[in-house]
Amino acid sequence: MALALDEDDRLSDTFAALANPTRRAILARLARGEANVNELAEPFQMTLPAISKHIKVLERAGLVVRGQHAQYRPCTLDATPLEQVSTWAEQYRPVWEARFKRMDDYIRQLQPQEMGESDG
């Protein structure tokens, strides 16, 4: 299943955004509900501008949307890019399931031999 170039670029942006643990933690926080930059910065020993840069990366990847309510600019999670990651990864499911099956078969072959060896 080939992806169109623009879909592939979006997927690259999503993976790049997810590559950073701080950004993943921000997304985990936003999965619980909207938050402003100060709330998102609380658990980190970073400056607000540094957190804002992380949020901008997430925004460019389409993972975060910023609202505008007077002075309050809440951030919310947009899971659409994560669905695209899931769809992309799903195409590889038959590969890992086949590998797990081969590993299970191999382990089953070893188990009777190991039990016989320990009896002797």
Side-chain angles (χ1 to χ4, degrees):
M1 168 176 136
L3 290 173
L5 188 57
D6 61 333
E7 288 179 56
D8 196 33
D9 288 346
R10 283 190 301 239
L11 198 55
S12 294
D13 290 344
T14 303
F15 278 122
L18 294 173
N20 182 280
T22 299
R23 292 192 286 267
R24 289 193 305 271
I26 289 169
L27 291 178
R29 168 54 187 88
L30 291 175
R32 296 191 320 259
E34 73 178 25
N36 64 34
V37 175
N38 288 331
E39 292 166 334
L40 292 173
E42 281 176 12
F44 304 105
Q45 301 237 327
M46 291 185 184
T47 64
L48 287 178
I51 291 295
S52 290
K53 285 181 182 180
H54 283 295
I55 293 169
K56 284 179 182 157
V57 170
L58 293 168
E59 281 182 288
R60 279 194 303 273
L63 291 160
V64 168
V65 176
R66 277 193 168 176
Q68 181 79 39
H69 302 284
Q71 299 296 336
Y72 182 66
R73 294 200 60 198
C75 297
T76 57
L77 173 67
D78 182 348
T80 304
L82 297 176
E83 293 170 27
Q84 293 167 341
V85 168
S86 177
T87 299
W88 175 83
E90 190 62 31
Q91 69 183 325
Y92 298 101
R93 179 181 292 276
V95 174
W96 20 293
E97 286 181 347
R99 288 182 181 176
F100 287 143
K101 183 179 178 343
R102 284 195 306 269
M103 187 171 46
D104 284 345
D105 292 345
Y106 180 70
I107 290 170
R108 281 192 198 99
Q109 288 175 357
L110 291 177
Q111 285 176 339
Q113 293 173 2
E114 289 175 0
M115 291 175 70
E117 290 173 4
S118 64
D119 290 340

